[in-house]
Amino acid sequence: MSLAPWACDPARTKGRLHAEPAPTLRTDYQRDRDRVIHSSAFRRLEYKTQVFVNHEGDLFRTRLTHSLEVAQIGRTVARSLRLEEDLVEAICLAHDLGHTPFGHAGQDALNACMQGYGGFEHNFQSLRIVDELEDRYAAFSGLNLTFETREGILKHCSEKNARTLGALGERFLARRQPSLEAQLANIADEIAYNNHDVDDGLRSGLITVEQLRATALFARHHDAVLERWPQATPHQQCFETIRRMINELVLDLTNASAAELQAAAPTDVEAVRNAGRALIHFSADVARDNQQLKAFLNHNLYRHHLVYRMTAKAKRTVTELFAALLDDPRLMPPKFSARAAQAQDSNGRARVVADYVAGMTDRYAIDEYERIFVPRRVR
Ligand code: MG
């Protein structure tokens, strides 16, 4: 199937920071996706918290399985809207690369630590990883991805950071939209985490079916499942409900966006960027139900007493690690301590420490905390 005129065509990419020969066999966006999958930051997602810390259970989502679910949803919608599927996949797989250990608690703690040194934003960190920190290629640092993949990765950005990014930062200053592929990856993220957090929340026992029935989206699909499958086990009924919720959200997103694109009829990607509003979105009714589910999870799961206790521990671990490493950068492995020694000023030194801490997996951060703070007898 041919690409829609408003899709990103790999043959017309705005290109890479460092010029490279065109790939053989693959398009530029396929190459981007492959480089993300081969990166070490991607492998580390396996041991990073989504909501539950990695060691709390083997069946909960991690950032890696979350990213795969985002990509799966993104690709389905991309194909049906004739958007560039490989670009959507590349953005989805890369969108959480910059996340710290311990999920949002870790990110908040690191941002607080970095307040005197330029702050810490996880989207901006994802971009730093693909632009600078990955160290694999002889000809350049980072992964040297195309403009369009980098545009999608940078979902949010402060104006201060946007000013340092040239063409990529312009949209945050001029209030323009990103490509449709980037808009889609953003909503695919939301569909994935709302639904898998319902699943993980139920599995953990921190939220119940009775509570969830207060949300319109869950209640209407749960009712339909109880009627169709009254003999099924509660576990099967929950999963049937969740798959129907995902299906409704994906279908609604596809239909509402197709109608919007038909009406707006942007001539090309630049017209999409200048459209003045996002063209990929849910219908108003489903947007409201989705928002209600999101608010429910925020209130009942993310702020649950037991999640909060883990969050508090995570914040302390990140905060104390950061302080100790900034105080004595020689505690970091040579690759990072050498960079810290070369830093021009305290901001630069703190940034190296933030890069090191942000790159840690949950279990590495816990081990490193022990190695630094707990004296042990060498056996
Ligand atoms: Mg995500």
Side-chain angles (χ1 to χ4, degrees), residues 13-24:
T13 172
K14 290 193 187 188
R16 304 172 188 276
L17 290 175
H18 308 273
E20 290 186 66
T24 43

Side-chain angles (χ1 to χ4, degrees), residues 63 66 95-96 189:
R63 290 243 168 239
H66 160 71
H95 85 283
D96 271 351
D189 183 24

